[in-house]
Amino acid sequence: MPEFTRKPLEGLLPLIPLSLDADERIDLDGVRHSIGLVAASGAPGCIVFGSMGQMTNVSPAEYDAVCETAVAAGHEGDLAVIVGSTATYQQEAIRRARYAEACGADGSMLAAPYALPVTPEWAMNFFVEVAESLDGDMALMLYNYSPLNGVNISADMWGRLLEVSNIKAIKESNTALPHFDQVLMTIGDRVNVFTGNDPAFFHGSMLGAVGATGIFCWAGMRTTTRFIDECRKGNHNDAWVRRAYGALQQLSASIRRPDMPLMLSYEHGYLKAVSELGGARPGDPRKPYGPLPDFATARVGEAAQALIAMEAEE
């Protein structure tokens, strides 16, 4: 397994929503509040500026302010802090990653540039060049999410990527099992693999995944932290673990119903709705994006009740 110079990237890493006030200005107190909720739950870390956390919707100055705030708040709570550095073009991705490293972030989550599809060769060159621009103290977590940029990081591409010492993790959001399983069996002993959501860790942990990026955990942070830890121990047949998996999967399935708003368009809205169940104060997403319709928010709340009930028992 990889060695980390700063805090290790492992376990449950909840996604932090970008907090905004009614005028769409950054609410740094809201960011600190969300990170404080994660620290109080016992989760080992968090991710700021994922795609659900509005990484596309901030200026360079706003990015820097949130990065500084998140690293300080996270380290105060003894969390590993991962700050996303994905951007529309390479120069800004490097700037973001270097800023996160200088601020003391433990990791940076990096997807290939978006807006127009990139080729696999361009993507590999991009990942290598961003990694080599850093001092090497901060770990890079690659982000494989082909709807964002049209490229899939295949198992074959890892032959080159493994040569870069500070690429130490991946958030694998391609949930097609033939791909997902091949990646785990190819690199799982050399790179820390994270499932793209919490319930997917039940399967991923059987093949060597070490953590999950948390979305649905917001409805039950302590419960989901324990679920991830128990799966890492191999306790997949434990009755409590299976109950927790069912509760998480029920919430996950609720947003994929054909009569629910499309996930790709409403990513920010879904994280807003779920994180509010856990006490976060994200505000509405920046326009042109918007919150979920009321009926969808209500359905998310209904689907979360089993997880909320388990959280009350912790």
Side-chain angles (χ1 to χ4, degrees):
M1 302 303 290
E3 295 183 359
F4 293 87
T5 302
R6 298 178 179 177
K7 291 182 183 296
L9 311 188
E10 58 189 14
L12 178 67
L13 302 177
L15 296 174
I16 301 298
L18 180 65
S19 290
L20 300 170
D21 67 17
D23 295 318
E24 299 189 18
R25 294 173 300 200
I26 302 291
D27 176 9
L28 294 177
D29 285 339
V31 173
R32 278 188 286 266
H33 175 71
S34 292
I35 292 174
L37 293 171
V38 174
S41 75
C46 64
I47 300 175
V48 182
F49 286 133
S51 59
M52 297 183 82
Q54 300 195 66
M55 66 186 188
T56 64
N57 300 351
V58 293
S59 70
E62 289 172 329
Y63 175 91
D64 294 353
V66 173
C67 179
E68 293 170 12
T69 298
V71 171
H75 287 174
E76 183 177 341
D78 198 29
L79 296 175
V81 180
I82 296 89
V83 182
S85 52
T86 306
T88 53
Y89 61 103
Q90 183 162 326
Q91 186 179 41
E92 175 60 11
I94 289 174
R95 191 201 71 80
R96 288 183 173 196
R98 287 184 59 79
Y99 197 86
E101 184 176 44
C103 283
D106 302 286
S108 185
M109 188 168 73
L110 178 68
Y114 51 90
L116 296 175
V118 295
T119 70
E121 182 180 2
W122 292 345
M124 282 197 294
N125 290 340
F126 166 77
F127 290 132
V128 171
E129 289 169 16
V130 174
E132 291 179 345
S133 76
L134 301 174
D135 294 333
D137 294 331
M138 180 183 70
L140 273 184
M141 171 191 281
L142 303 191
Y143 181 15
N144 189 29
Y145 186 41
S146 56
L148 184 71
N149 47 43
V151 68
N152 179 52
I153 304 175
S154 67
D156 292 341
M157 292 171 67
W158 277 100
R160 181 178 178 191
L161 297 174
L162 285 170
E163 297 174 358
V164 185
S165 60
N166 54 342
I167 296 178
K168 297 181 183 292
I170 181 172
K171 175 187 176 183
E172 183 51 82
S173 291
N174 182 339
T175 56
L177 289 184
H179 164 85
F180 185 73
D181 291 358
Q182 184 184 18
V183 167
L184 273 166
M185 290 186 289
T186 301
I187 67 169
D189 60 339
R190 289 169 287 178
V191 172
N192 281 5
V193 178
F194 287 76
T195 58
N197 61 59
D198 344 44
F201 190 70
F202 185 83
H203 172 80
S205 59
M206 296 183 196
L207 293 175
V210 304
T213 50
I215 303 168
F216 309 106
C217 63
W218 277 102
M221 198 82 74
R222 294 187 303 276
T223 299
T224 310
T225 299
R226 178 182 168 189
F227 167 75
I228 299 298
D229 291 344
E230 292 294 332
C231 287
R232 292 187 71 186
K233 295 174 185 176
N235 296 329
H236 299 85
N237 290 322
D238 178 82
W240 184 94
V241 171
R242 288 183 170 270
R243 182 183 167 207
Y245 172 63
L248 285 161
Q249 187 60 30
Q250 177 178 320
L251 181 50
S252 174
S254 74
I255 74 174
R256 293 175 172 83
R257 290 173 45 169
D259 57 346
M260 288 288 275
L262 182 67
M263 177 67 167
L264 283 175
S265 298
Y266 281 90
E267 281 199 355
H268 314 322
Y270 277 114
L271 185 58
K272 166 183 164 63
V274 180
S275 66
E276 285 178 337
L277 294 172
R281 304 191 302 261
D284 288 343
R286 270 186 167 160
K287 294 178 180 179
Y289 305 99
L292 293 178
D294 289 344
F295 83 89
T297 299
R299 284 184 180 175
V300 168
E302 292 167 4
Q305 290 307 304
L307 185 56
I308 291 171
M310 291 192 71
E311 185 76 356
E313 299 169 6
E314 286 295 307

